[in-house]
Structures are given as structure tokens and as C-alpha cells.
Amino acid sequence: MPHAPIHARSQPARNTLCRPAALFVAAALSLVLCGCPNPSTPVESDRDPAPTSNEPVRVLVVDDPELAEVIERQWRARAEGEIKIEQTTSEKLVAAEGRLGADAVIYPAALIGELAERQLIVPVPDDVLNGPQLARREILELVRLHEATWGKQTYAVPFGSPQLTLLYRADIFERLGLQPPETWDEYESLAARLADRNELGDLAPPADAPWYGTAEPLGQGWAGQVLLARAAAYARHRSRYSTLFNYNTMAPLIDGPPFVKALEQLAAAAKHGPPEAIHRLPEIKGFSPHDVRREFLAGHCAMALTWPSGAKAESGDSQSAAKVPTGIAPLPGSLEVCNAFDGKWEPRRAEERLSVPLLSSTGRLGSATKEARDSRAALNVLVWLSGSEWSSDIAPHSRETTLYRTTHLAAPRTWVDDSLDSTAATQYAEVVAQSQDCSVWLFSIRIPGRHAYLAALDNAVHQVVAEDELATDALRAAAARWRAITIDRGVEPQRRAYERSLGLEP
């Protein structure tokens, strides 16, 4: 069914940013101008304090060689004490039995449940959380109160957690009188329209250059997360926390109407994107968000689901011969939400935003391990690395982090690609600030077995996009796989973990 033109809506624009950028920047700058808190440990000369232990603190960095490298470099240049950086992968971390061989671990944000449930990490004491160096009041709300917590306790300090956002060609949108899509229906309509080079006039790329209406990260490890990000606005009801499972029985909810609708729309939009974006064969792994961003900044598509990154490791990917005029907006959302209690669709309230953020799809957290020889020394290292003074020199070097403090909002340029201009950087800061000020959100899978659950969702997306299977059938099979994973791990332990992942205590 054809959709109404994007620039001729009958609905009020409710997905617009709730505060002007100037207010965010002013608030952030006011914190900066008030001065940084004094270190809790004496400082010699201009160097920051050492850990409290006489032995080197062993820091294990997971899936992030760029972050490991910059931590080692910055610590060597700025601190008196010694740390020992080691690296590992998520697969090895999850497979570790009983010990990590480290005092502190920096890991993908969604693995907090795996580590906490196995008691491999310990909560952060209140005096550390409220200490001056962490400057916790600067940390953005959803990161501080939800992503770094498990159950009712804070287990980690943050290094930033990117969310998928919408990048779009600002020049094309301006020429055609378009606004960023606020709903997934509008997005699908725009993807089809903008895939047609004839619509673009003299802004069309050369005939021999690739061109797509949109690009989405549908590769291994990401296809299922894109599905969750799309379904969030349909499935996350204001009065219900339990979205992916029934937290009383652990019955999967992913084969319900919100997820079926989201998968059908995902498949429709994928027809207007790069065919290699979806994982199809062993040699075609599909696109990650970083692949999508590369395609967009190379001028190959009108829209993209990804996030900006200032990581220098991507400089070769992020530059294009001619800079692409870029706008940045929140992910689209929905005018309606499905109530899982009765399966009925109802309109979102006027005060509700249409877009619902997906949290912990990526990102990095740092925790002290249970086996730490000196947990205070381990926490001291993490707090300095994540705190207000060092964070802007460390976290931007990772592709899996983003700005996470109010002070970062005031200077977002460090956190975005070199090829993006200051307007795009400011827009990104606005989008991050808005998403961190939401009343509802959806977590990606954070319970033990995360990789297996996500693999089942990846397969469902693959079956629908690449094999033309019905979304209902693919998600029914994924739900069956989820039930088997849960039974294999134990329904009751998984139920307790799921409650804690929602911020509750069993």
C-alpha cells in the first residue's frame, strides 16, 4: 500500500528532539566550567595517581584491540603505577570456567549478565560510585541507572554504549523537501523512493556507481539486533517491562505480532539495500554497523542504520573523496504499540516518543573481578579510565563506544567521523541526549546464552530476507529454539537472570 508523502503528515511531529542543542551544550559546559573534582589520591607533578596496589593491575580487554592499545598508551603517559593489559574474545570469556585471570575486565555491555550471574564480577561500592573522580552525575541516565546495573546493583563503570541511529543524505532530503522518517512505515516508503536514481536529479551518483535507498547491518551478530531495534517501538509497552520473554514462565514472546510486523518491514526495506548486507553463505558474512557506515560515507546510499565513530582505526573507511552531506536522527518508531497482555494494538499517548531505543546492542563496561588481588586498585584503574578527566582521550578510539557524559555532549566532534561536519556532530549529540532521556526502552539480550539466542534471531532474519520464508514461520522456529536454549540452561536460573536484566530482583 502506498504511503503518504513524508513531507505531508497529518500526525504531529512527536519524534523531534525535545530540547535545542544549545541547551544541552550549555548544561554540559556549566559542569565543565564548575571545575573537575580533586583526585582522591595525591598527585605528583601533572601525573595522575597510581593504583593503590604495589602489584600491576591486570586488565582484561574483550573484543577491542583499539581500546586496549589506547588504554596502555595513556596509562603509561599519565599514571605512576603499572597495569598489565591482556586481550581476549567474547567466546573465550564466556567459556572461561571460574577464573578470568584478571583484576579488572572491560567487556561488551550485554555480557554483564553472563559475568554477574556466574559471580565473576563484583558490585561497585557506593563510596566509589559517589566519589569525585568517577563524576557519576555527569554520566547519561540510561547508561548510569540501567546499562551498568544488574538487578538492583551497579556492577560496572561505563565506556559508552552506541545505539543504532539514522544517518541520511541531508542534501537529497533538502532538495526533495523531505524530513527524516518518524515511523517505520515512512522509512520503508522513503527507502523505495530514494532507491530510484530518477528521483535524485543531478544528485544521482554515476550510472556505474552502486546506489541504494538504505543500508542496514544484517550480518552475523547484527541481523537479530536490527530486528529488536525495529520491534522496540511496537513491543515495548509503557506498562510492561517483560518484552522478550514472559518473566513468570520464560516463554518467548518473539513470535508475537510486534516482532512479526518488524521482520516483515525489515525484509521489505532490505530489497532496497545492498544484497551483500545480509549473511547468505559462509563467505558472505553480511554487514556490521561499521560496514554500513562505510557504504553511506562512500556515497552509496540515501539512508543508513548505524552510528558515527571517531575511531582512527576506521579513518580509511570513513573518508570519501567528497564529503557526504549528512543528517543524523533517531531511529524511526511507531504510532501504535502492541499490548502483550491481550495482543491488541493501541495508539501511543501524545506525550510518548515514537522511537524506543535498544540498549546494550554493543558498548563497553568495566568491572572489578571477584578474583581481583586488590579490588580497590582494580576499581581505581577503571574509574580513572572511565572518569571525566580521561574518558575523552580513551573511549573515542573504540568503534564500540560513544559519548556517555554531559561533558561529552558539549564537545561531540571527537566522537564522530572526520568527514562529518560540526552540524552533524551536534545533531548526533542531540540524538544521544534524547535517547538517554526516554521513559521506555528495550534491552538487547543480556542473560546467559546471549550469543545462542541472537543466533536464532539472525537465522530468522536470514530465512525471511534471503530465502523468502514467511516471518510468522521463521519467528515461530526462532521461539522454539529460544525455548530449547532456556531449558538447556535451566528455566529457573534463566528466569531469575531475566528479571535481574530488567532491573528487578527475583
Coordinates of all heavy atoms in Angstrom, one line a residue, residues 172 394 448:
I172 N 20.0 15.5 -0.3 CA 18.9 14.9 -1.0 C 17.6 15.2 -0.3 O 16.6 15.5 -1.0 CB 19.1 13.4 -1.1 CG1 20.3 13.1 -2.1 CG2 17.9 12.7 -1.7 CD1 20.7 11.6 -2.2
I394 N 40.2 8.4 25.7 CA 40.3 6.9 25.6 C 39.1 6.3 24.8 O 39.4 5.7 23.8 CB 40.3 6.3 27.0 CG1 41.7 6.7 27.7 CG2 40.1 4.8 27.0 CD1 41.8 6.2 29.1
P448 N 22.6 -15.0 30.3 CA 23.5 -16.0 29.8 C 22.9 -16.8 28.6 O 21.7 -17.0 28.5 CB 23.6 -17.0 31.0 CG 23.4 -16.1 32.2 CD 22.4 -15.1 31.8

